[in-house]
Amino acid sequence: METTNKFKTDFKYYKQKCPLPDFSKVLDFSNIKEETGLKRLHADISGKFVERDNEEAFVAGLMIPPSEWVMYEVLDKPGLLFIKNPFNAIGQRYWIYRCLRDYTRRPNRLNIDAHHILNKSNEWWDSCQGDDEHSKSLNRKLRWATMGYHHNWDTKVYSEDMKDQFPTDLADLSRYVGRIIGFQDDFSAEAAIVNFYHFDSTLSGHTDHSEMNMTAPLFSFSFGQTAIFLLGGPSLDVAPTAMYIKSGDIVIMSGHSRKCYHGIPKIVPSKEAPWNMDNISPLADCNFHSRTSEENEEFSPNPPCKRSRVESSVQSEIIQNLSCEKFWKPFCRYIEHSRINMNVRQVLFKGDKALDNKGT
């Protein structure tokens, strides 16, 4: 007997434009009236939570205290963990900035590389800043960027021949969130796919099964406009659960849910803009290079990060600049109509240093 593809049926329903789907059954973690079907989780901390090092202190400074995090597990999707936006406004801006300007730079790989749209001397974000039609078109053509172990979309196999350095800050963020949720230090960020969505974008139902280590959790960080996220079961005949993923929300697929079908049939406008800093006075002067360290402290958000423990002057400069509305404007212009998702995976088993294969 032919099985019914319930995932595809629901995907098509939420994707439709005319008539619009009924969103009343979409799980909204920002408006939980009854926790039926959900298990409230609490940060895995004893007493005062202490960051392990300066790098972890930096990413922690971009977020609210772990004791204030709102976290759930979806009971009928065991291992599916949800963290309601724990980022402060500067934290939202920082990761949006990193995804658009830095994570799209070489040697990271982009979907547009195969079309030779950019010259080797040009970077995508810089090339998008013009007002001409080419810049606007280039802005919308970017769909994904890969980092660390680069996913081979043809063979679905990772290779040591397709590997570059993984961003330290994103690895620190994943480890920090993992510790709070209870994974201790067992997670190692080794590969990431950054997806870029617009209002007409979708992500077809699929499973992530290219990693050698399928027991490690998968971390998903979202910023910008809201996604309708579907999570089904290990086969397509399992009806999926629909849920809103909003800016700053974190989804962790672990355990049973790690091997489940999932996808995004629709992007909808966000009702909020948590990257805005309405409580911080606009800065008249964005040139922080000309200020002394004492003067710079005067312009720090409240505070954007634990500056006394941040060793990287580059990160400190980014934070300072992101509190300037003039500097932030092009990034804001992008995120007001788009969604960014950082999908972080562990490829190797704990203790392994490299893959056995060469991608053949």
Side-chain angles (χ1 to χ4, degrees), residues 32 37 46 56 69 159 171 188 194 203 209 297 301 315 319-320 354:
I32 300 296
S46 55
E56 190 170 297
W69 290 19
S159 168
S188 178
V194 183
L203 179 65
H209 54 267
E297 288 296 328
Q315 288 177 327
I319 293 300
Q320 287 286 344

Side-chain angles (χ1 to χ4, degrees), residues 75-120:
L75 293 179
D76 66 349
K77 307 294 181 183
L80 192 283
L81 312 178
F82 180 94
I83 304 174
K84 183 178 178 293
N85 174 31
F87 296 93
N88 57 36
I90 278 289
Q92 294 248 348
R93 291 188 177 195
Y94 177 82
W95 294 111
I96 292 168
Y97 168 92
R98 288 286 279 159
C99 287
L100 291 175
R101 185 187 181 276
D102 295 336
Y103 294 165
T104 57
R105 302 175 80 86
R106 298 176 180 85
N108 297 334
R109 306 191 182 192
L110 316 178
N111 66 293
I112 59 177
D113 290 344
H115 305 291
H116 305 289
I117 298 174
L118 294 174
N119 297 326
K120 291 184 177 181

Side-chain angles (χ1 to χ4, degrees), residues 96 100 124-125 139-140 142 196-198 329-340:
I96 292 168
L100 291 175
W124 172 78
W125 179 249
N139 183 295
R140 292 184 56 83
L142 182 67
F196 302 88
Y197 298 87
H198 304 292
K329 186 175 181 179
F331 303 96
C332 184
R333 188 164 51 237
Y334 181 95
I335 210 65
E336 284 178 341
H337 302 92
S338 305
R339 172 181 182 260
I340 300 172

Side-chain angles (χ1 to χ4, degrees), residues 73-346:
E73 179 176 11
V74 182
L75 293 179
D76 66 349
K77 307 294 181 183
L80 192 283
L81 312 178
F82 180 94
I83 304 174
K84 183 178 178 293
N85 174 31
F87 296 93
N88 57 36
I90 278 289
Q92 294 248 348
R93 291 188 177 195
Y94 177 82
W95 294 111
I96 292 168
Y97 168 92
R98 288 286 279 159
C99 287
L100 291 175
R101 185 187 181 276
D102 295 336
Y103 294 165
T104 57
R105 302 175 80 86
R106 298 176 180 85
N108 297 334
R109 306 191 182 192
L110 316 178
N111 66 293
I112 59 177
D113 290 344
H115 305 291
H116 305 289
I117 298 174
L118 294 174
N119 297 326
K120 291 184 177 181
S121 59
N122 296 335
E123 298 291 353
W124 172 78
W125 179 249
D126 297 334
S127 301
C128 289
Q129 300 314 302
D131 293 328
D132 57 288
E133 289 303 317
H134 174 72
S135 298
K136 295 177 182 178
S137 174
L138 187 61
N139 183 295
R140 292 184 56 83
K141 286 181 178 179
L142 182 67
R143 297 298 181 182
W144 53 260
T146 58
M147 303 183 292
Y149 280 106
H150 299 288
H151 189 260
N152 188 315
W153 302 98
D154 296 322
T155 65
K156 310 299 183 184
V157 175
Y158 290 106
S159 168
E160 289 295 325
D161 296 333
M162 294 177 60
K163 177 186 177 183
D164 289 297
Q165 185 175 358
F166 194 91
T168 301
D169 55 356
L170 184 53
D172 293 333
L173 173 65
S174 302
R175 186 183 73 242
Y176 177 70
V177 172
R179 283 213 297 127
I180 293 173
I181 207 72
F183 293 114
Q184 302 303 317
D185 291 322
D186 292 336
F187 182 80
S188 178
E190 295 164 341
I193 299 173
V194 183
N195 293 110
F196 302 88
Y197 298 87
H198 304 292
F199 284 123
D200 58 351
S201 301
T202 62
L203 179 65
S204 300
H206 66 284
T207 61
D208 294 296
H209 54 267
S210 297
E211 295 73 35
M212 291 180 60
N213 186 348
M214 289 293 293
T215 62
L218 186 154
F219 288 81
S220 176
F221 305 91
S222 295
F223 298 96
Q225 302 307 301
T226 300
I228 304 294
F229 177 69
L230 301 184
L231 181 71
S235 65
L236 291 169
D237 61 335
V238 177
T241 297
M243 60 191 77
Y244 288 113
I245 307 297
K246 302 180 181 181
S247 190
D249 291 346
I250 303 172
V251 174
I252 303 171
M253 297 174 64
S254 64
H256 172 80
S257 70
R258 175 66 175 81
K259 301 178 181 179
C260 291
Y261 278 88
H262 54 281
I264 296 175
K266 188 178 290 291
I267 306 297
V268 298
S270 174
K271 296 180 180 179
E272 300 176 343
W275 50 84
N276 285 343
M277 301 190 297
D278 297 332
N279 60 324
I280 298 175
S281 300
L283 304 182
D285 184 356
C286 301
N287 183 13
F288 297 99
H289 300 285
S290 62
R291 301 181 185 275
T292 65
S293 58
E294 291 79 11
E295 289 173 322
N296 277 342
E297 288 296 328
E298 180 182 342
F299 289 90
S300 298
N302 298 307
C305 61
K306 299 180 180 180
R307 294 179 55 81
S308 62
R309 299 180 63 187
V310 177
E311 294 181 345
S312 172
S313 61
V314 174
Q315 288 177 327
S316 298
E317 181 179 348
I318 292 173
I319 293 300
Q320 287 286 344
N321 286 339
L322 287 174
S323 61
C324 169
E325 296 305 316
K326 181 178 180 181
F327 180 89
W328 166 248
K329 186 175 181 179
F331 303 96
C332 184
R333 188 164 51 237
Y334 181 95
I335 210 65
E336 284 178 341
H337 302 92
S338 305
R339 172 181 182 260
I340 300 172
N341 175 255
M342 304 187 297
N343 195 288
V344 184
R345 304 107 180 273
Q346 179 172 332

Side-chain angles (χ1 to χ4, degrees), residues 47-85:
K48 183 178 180 181
F49 189 83
V50 179
E51 295 83 27
R52 294 288 179 86
D53 49 39
N54 287 352
E55 289 74 21
E56 190 170 297
F58 173 78
V59 299
L62 301 175
M63 310 171 87
I64 63 176
S67 59
E68 299 177 19
W69 290 19
V70 177
M71 305 185 291
Y72 297 98
E73 179 176 11
V74 182
L75 293 179
D76 66 349
K77 307 294 181 183
L80 192 283
L81 312 178
F82 180 94
I83 304 174
K84 183 178 178 293
N85 174 31

